[in-house]
Amino acid sequence: MTVDSTAPSQPAIENLLAERRTFPPDPAFTAQANAKASLYEEADRDFEAFWARIARERVDWTKPFEQTLDWQLPFAKWFIGGTLNISENCVDRHVKQGLGHKVAYHWIGEPGDTRTITYADLLREVQKAANALKELGVKTGDRVAIYMPMIPELPVAMLACARLGAAHTVVFGGFSAEALAGRINDAEAKVLITADGGWRRGKATPLKPAADEAIANAPTIEHVLVVQRLGDAAETSMTEGRDVWWHDIVGRQPETCSPVPVDSEHLLYLLYTSGTTAKPKGIVHTTAGYLVGTSFTHEMIFDVKPDDVYWCAADIGWVTGHSYIVYGPLANATTGVLYEGTPDTPAWDRWWQIVEQYKVSILYCAPTAIRAFMKQGEEHPAKHDLSSLRVLGSVGEPINPEAWLWYQQNIGGGKTPVVDTWWQTETGMILITPLPGVTTTKPGSATFPFPGIEADVVDNEGRSVPLGGGGYLVLKRPWPAMLRGIYGDPERYQETYWSRFPGMYFAGDGAKRDEEGYFWLLGRVDDVMNVAGHRISTIEVESALVDHKKVAESAVVGKNDPLTGQAIFAFVILKAGVEPSDGLGIELREHVAKVISPIARPKFLMFTPDLPKTRSGKIMRRLLRDIAEGRTLGDTTTLADAGVVDAIRERSGAAEE
Ligand code: WT7
């Protein structure tokens, strides 16, 4: 692994670190805050006892756990001996406590249609959907793939699986048929839940054709459950005996379905994420620890109270949506907003209109969105009353101090705490974050590890770097929502996360701590790019390019981008006899979009006669990044043929779209 390959450029980091303003908590906020400074002390005294207390308080157990943690490095088991059902914890118990009338989701469709789903509605729909899955042959221990737009049936489907003890694997609706097939096959999913399509930027966007294409190469799928979202706006073909409409089969089910109690460590879901190879990893999350970690962090970090209206603007297809739209918030009986559309449709004030209309009090989104809003100008949020907002969150990529300040001032009215939350698909829950009402924040810093979490910054040899220095972010203690492995590949789990620094979890991120111990996340240090908060592997894009019949070789790097954090820059060597052309450039970029997803489509593509390689034949990505960003080149002494760099640079003027 090349450790420096996609680290952000020096000017960006300097800019980040030069920011020195601090924001102490407002005493009025502190007085009412859920989080208390004493949590850190409690967790430091005995972190197992700390998590055990939280697990006892927050979870309705069908059988209490006997042991808090079994840590056979790197394999963790939490809350051993306990049994529970997570759908019961997210829905039934709230209804039993008289909260059936409380809104679980205010759903807003892109064309403006809306639905209000109370906890009583959710309980009924989850039970009916679970009965339908049973009728389709789903049993405890099976896997179910879900490929859906942002509609209420998506969380219902996830909870219905969990009610039966079947694991879900949600595949983001923007992924290609090929990506979907790969995930279904790895998970050996029995049923696929999808929709005829969804609305995207004013257009009906079919999903079922991609689902059909995927299933043609995914033999484990026995049935397809299809939600009708587009209706007449799409032509949907159904395969007799295999495909069933959701409204037909779910519609006629009995309204009760007993939750299946499962072991604490029972597989809850798989979520595929890009690593440093072409094959995405199925990240394994289990039941009890995940419920404890997501619900507790949600309540503390967002200061969620019974009357709040909470909006996490991510897609449920990513871990942010799993943990902080579905499981964490529902476990806390939160009222949430679920929005199908994009920030720019029908206009750039759509989000602010939603905040005003629904009196959203907590907003959680990605720096990419904030930077896009900044670019559009203050006048869009200024048109709306945003005074209901009291906590703002950021996630997915480093937030530059300018964006942090713009967010706090223009969206938060200069008064709300901003929580910059660092975590990953693998961590399951937020791990580095301020606690609102407790932490003095610095724009651009995710501040400190959450209570009970031990994070460190280490050098190449795994030695802790003194305050003021930078290195690799590691975690030194297990935490309840941590991944339990990579599906079907324990060796890769060990190798990817636990072998770089023995005994420590290697996050793949660079970090620096300032003199006061604040953590500043500096971006990925491996072959993973972060494009608009989406994690994409350079190698995945390279193999999609090489998969095209005219391409001989390719190298992909992340180029700094003012809007999306990084943008994909592809260097391509064509096969002998193939002539480069603008048309071919477009064709290749489309090819990547088709093979992986439009989010992986290279923004820049350059044809090159050769690639810079070390004498051992490794592509020098650092050098390519320098070329992509137009910087003067660093040390090239390990380069096999220095002439290659000149050849590439001469052509780089023609690279941009
Ligand atoms: C990678 C994980 C966590 C949900 C969304 C992304 C980057 C995430 C931050 C942050 C700086 C961040 C890291 C991390 N990242 N949050 N607050 N500051 N970087 O999940 O797709 O698994 O990506 O996102 O590089 O490793 P993911």
Side-chain angles (χ1 to χ4, degrees), residues 115-168:
R115 279 164 67 184
T116 306
I117 294 102
T118 63
Y119 277 91
D121 295 334
L122 199 57
L123 179 57
R124 188 186 61 244
E125 293 310 310
V126 167
Q127 296 189 90
K128 287 167 73 180
N131 283 329
L133 289 174
K134 269 198 216 167
E135 190 181 315
L136 295 175
V138 174
K139 298 194 172 60
T140 307
D142 286 343
R143 274 83 53 219
V144 173
I146 301 180
Y147 184 57
M148 282 169 91
M150 285 282 281
I151 53 178
E153 287 82 359
L154 172 48
V156 168
M158 294 162 75
L159 292 164
C161 290
R163 198 166 189 87
L164 301 177
H168 52 74

Side-chain angles (χ1 to χ4, degrees), residues 320 396-398 420-425 509 521 524 530 535:
T320 308
E397 45 180 326
D420 172 14
T421 63
W422 178 90
W423 59 298
Q424 310 177 297
T425 305
D509 278 309
L521 278 308
R524 300 290 306 192
N530 190 326
R535 190 161 147 184

Side-chain angles (χ1 to χ4, degrees), residues 16 367 370-371 394 397-404 407 418 420 443-445:
L16 197 67
I370 299 163
R371 289 191 297 263
S394 170
E397 45 180 326
I399 179 163
N400 44 312
E402 294 76 11
W404 194 106
Y407 193 29
V418 173
D420 172 14
S445 167

Side-chain angles (χ1 to χ4, degrees), residues 463-531:
R463 287 178 303 233
S464 185
V465 173
L467 295 189
Y472 304 97
L473 179 68
V474 296
L475 302 163
K476 292 182 155 174
R477 247 190 221 156
W479 60 99
M482 70 188 277
L483 78 166
R484 300 301 196 262
I486 295 177
Y487 195 61
D489 203 343
E491 271 157 43
R492 191 174 172 200
Y493 169 65
Q494 182 113 24
E495 158 67 26
T496 308
Y497 304 106
W498 302 92
S499 67
R500 180 77 174 81
F501 304 111
M504 303 177 215
Y505 173 89
F506 173 61
D509 278 309
K512 184 188 156 99
R513 262 175 316 188
D514 66 19
E515 302 294 343
E516 293 176 302
Y518 280 73
F519 283 74
W520 298 77
L521 278 308
L522 303 175
R524 300 290 306 192
V525 294
D526 53 11
D527 296 329
V528 171
M529 297 173 289
N530 190 326
V531 181

Side-chain angles (χ1 to χ4, degrees), residues 2 5-6 526-529 531 536-546 553-559 567-572 592 596 600-606 611 619-622 624-625 628:
T2 45
S5 64
T6 53
D526 53 11
D527 296 329
V528 171
M529 297 173 289
V531 181
I536 301 162
S537 146
T538 54
I539 297 160
E540 218 177 326
V541 179
E542 285 163 8
S543 52
L545 283 164
V546 174
E553 205 183 339
S554 94
V556 166
V557 295
K559 170 180 156 73
I568 302 177
F569 196 120
F571 295 86
V572 172
V592 176
I596 307 173
R601 182 194 286 119
K603 184 168 180 189
F604 306 95
L605 189 141
M606 189 196 294
L611 288 168
I619 292 172
M620 298 178 76
R621 284 176 212 282
R622 181 176 52 81
L624 290 175
R625 225 175 37 241

